[in-house]
Amino acid sequence: MGYHNAVAEHVFGIMGTICWTGQLIPQIWKSYHEKSTKGLSPWLVFLWGLSAIFQGAYSILQDLNIPLIVQPQLFGFLCFLSWGQCHYYGGHRSPRVSILITLVAMVFLGTLESVLVVTLRPSHNRGKHAPADFFGIFASVLLSLAIFPQYREIYKYKEVIGISLVFISIDIMGGIFNNLSLAFKEEFDIIASVMYSAVVVLESVIVIAALILNPRAHRRRRRYAEDQEQQEVAAKAVQETSSSSRLHLNQVTEMKALAGGLARPFSRARLKWKSIRQ
């Protein structure tokens, strides 16, 4: 039993819902604006969208507050929108194919969630909570596993690119607010808390990586640009020296030719004078 405060529970739940439904909007806008999802793992958003199905079923069966029930539905919808962008921008699929794949995934998984809730509701009401607990644990596992492919992208590029840090920051705040909402619930839900806390911890690693790796990558690109500039200056200097040498050689050749041309008349005149004297 926790300290129950219905107002605080719903206020923090609403704040968490706003964060965990709106957090993907900066990511979707970033991908659209840059016309690229380079650095964003499609597995991250797909597994998050998949986890939202089980998180949603768990929230409904456990009868959490309304904001925490609505949150996974909107979160999953935005995850699959971002996943569709990965197909279009990263996978270079046509708009029609990308939209079709996204819609099929949404409809299939949304139907799956509805079937799970309707099927398990009677037994859950009779006190058999094992299936709902499994959904909550499985959602936590998927949320956690989804972040590891993003770690791979960070390792590959040696910096955090493609993924919006605004999105990550809002997501972390959403996890914190959701945990606070649970703290004021009449009965603290440990499984849901583990699910939210795992996201907070694992995504904090991405923020820390960005703070460390991105400045290093910036300095690396700046040094590379400076080296390129120095090489271009050196190549230009060599080219100018070579051009100057060729010009000097041409001038010497012309002077020799001119001197030879002036010497020929004097030579002919000298030979003619010798023949006259003889």
Side-chain angles (χ1 to χ4, degrees):
M1 295 289 290
Y3 172 70
H4 180 55
N5 187 322
V7 175
E9 177 190 352
H10 283 83
V11 168
F12 284 121
I14 291 171
M15 293 172 69
T17 299
I18 292 172
C19 289
W20 268 33
T21 53
Q23 91 277 44
L24 273 165
I25 294 175
Q27 180 61 54
I28 293 170
W29 169 252
K30 177 182 174 66
S31 300
Y32 170 76
H33 181 69
E34 296 179 355
K35 301 294 185 290
S36 171
T37 55
K38 180 182 178 181
L40 172 65
S41 171
W43 284 106
L44 171 71
V45 286
F46 174 76
L47 290 176
W48 273 359
L50 184 60
S51 73
I53 304 306
F54 299 98
Q55 183 185 352
Y58 175 81
S59 300
I60 295 171
L61 291 173
Q62 287 294 95
D63 197 25
L64 299 181
N65 58 66
I66 292 176
L68 293 184
I69 291 175
V70 172
Q71 179 270 320
Q73 321 307 327
L74 297 177
F75 174 67
F77 173 75
L78 293 175
C79 281
F80 281 110
L81 278 184
S82 183
W83 183 63
Q85 288 182 317
C86 290
H87 280 285
Y88 179 59
Y89 296 121
H92 304 292
R93 300 180 186 273
S94 68
R96 182 177 298 178
V97 172
S98 300
I99 293 172
L100 180 62
I101 291 173
T102 304
L103 288 177
V104 169
M106 286 182 178
V107 171
F108 174 76
L109 293 174
T111 303
L112 175 62
E113 180 183 347
S114 301
V115 170
L116 291 174
V117 171
V118 171
T119 303
L120 297 174
R121 171 70 81 182
S123 62
H124 185 83
N125 291 340
R126 290 195 300 269
K128 296 181 179 180
H129 296 167
D133 292 343
F134 170 77
F135 292 156
I137 294 169
F138 189 55
S140 301
V141 171
L142 286 177
L143 281 170
S144 302
L145 289 178
I147 299 177
F148 287 95
Q150 189 59 46
Y151 288 167
R152 182 180 176 277
E153 294 294 314
I154 295 171
Y155 176 78
K156 181 169 68 174
Y157 292 106
K158 301 297 186 292
E159 62 178 317
V160 180
I161 60 172
I163 189 166
S164 170
L165 292 179
V166 176
F167 146 54
I168 292 296
S169 300
I170 296 174
D171 209 33
I172 291 173
M173 288 191 295
I176 293 172
F177 288 139
N178 286 337
N179 262 329
L180 290 173
S181 175
L182 293 176
F184 290 102
K185 189 176 171 59
E186 187 172 0
E187 184 174 349
F188 186 76
D189 194 315
I190 296 177
I191 295 176
S193 178
V194 169
M195 180 168 52
Y196 300 138
S197 300
V199 172
V200 171
V201 172
L202 293 173
E203 288 190 346
S204 296
V205 174
I206 296 177
V207 175
I208 294 171
L211 294 175
I212 296 173
L213 296 179
N214 286 18
R216 290 182 181 177
H218 177 70
R219 289 194 296 269
R220 189 166 58 246
R221 282 192 295 268
R222 186 175 61 187
R223 285 196 300 269
Y224 177 77
E226 290 174 353
D227 291 342
Q228 289 293 106
E229 186 178 354
Q230 290 175 359
Q231 290 177 9
E232 290 176 1
V233 170
K236 188 176 180 181
V238 170
Q239 186 178 4
E240 290 178 352
T241 302
S242 177
S243 300
S244 177
S245 300
R246 285 197 300 270
L247 179 61
H248 178 69
L249 181 61
N250 291 337
Q251 289 175 345
V252 171
T253 303
E254 290 176 359
M255 290 177 65
K256 286 182 178 179
L258 180 60
L262 292 174
R264 269 189 227 102
F266 289 107
S267 298
R268 285 197 296 270
R270 219 173 19 250
L271 290 173
K272 188 175 182 181
W273 174 251
K274 286 182 180 180
S275 63
I276 291 172
R277 289 182 64 184
Q278 292 174 358

